[in-house]
Amino acid sequence: DERIKLASIVDVYNKQKNNNDTALVYLGKNISYQNLFAKIESCAKAFRAIGVKSNDISKKQNNRII
């Protein structure tokens, strides 16, 4: 009985956060996993600093997030 194991985003993060391989190419620029996760952590820190919590939900109204 072989089962497919699905990796959680935490598993991917832990395996890739120090990886210099290319995670994505944006506007012709290669972005490494390490750089990508550093940007994600920076954004998360900024959201926490303004009081956003993990279960907060936003909604889009008239092309604006409120």
Side-chain angles (χ1 to χ4, degrees):
D1 179 32
E2 290 188 33
R3 296 178 185 210
I4 297 173
K5 291 185 179 180
L6 299 176
S8 72
I9 191 68
V10 173
D11 293 333
V12 172
Y13 171 80
N14 286 331
K15 289 180 184 176
Q16 300 292 350
K17 67 181 174 183
N18 295 317
N19 187 332
N20 281 320
D21 291 342
T22 298
L24 57 96
V25 178
Y26 179 69
L27 299 176
K29 186 175 181 180
N30 291 346
I31 300 174
S32 70
Y33 285 100
Q34 185 176 18
N35 190 285
L36 177 64
F37 285 117
K39 290 181 186 305
I40 291 168
E41 287 177 352
S42 177
C43 288
K45 184 178 179 180
F47 283 127
R48 285 191 301 271
I50 62 170
V52 176
K53 296 181 178 90
S54 62
N55 289 323
D56 288 352
I57 299 173
S58 65
K59 62 181 179 178
K60 193 172 181 182
Q61 184 176 39
N62 298 327
N63 291 326
R64 294 176 57 202
I65 296 176
I66 57 171

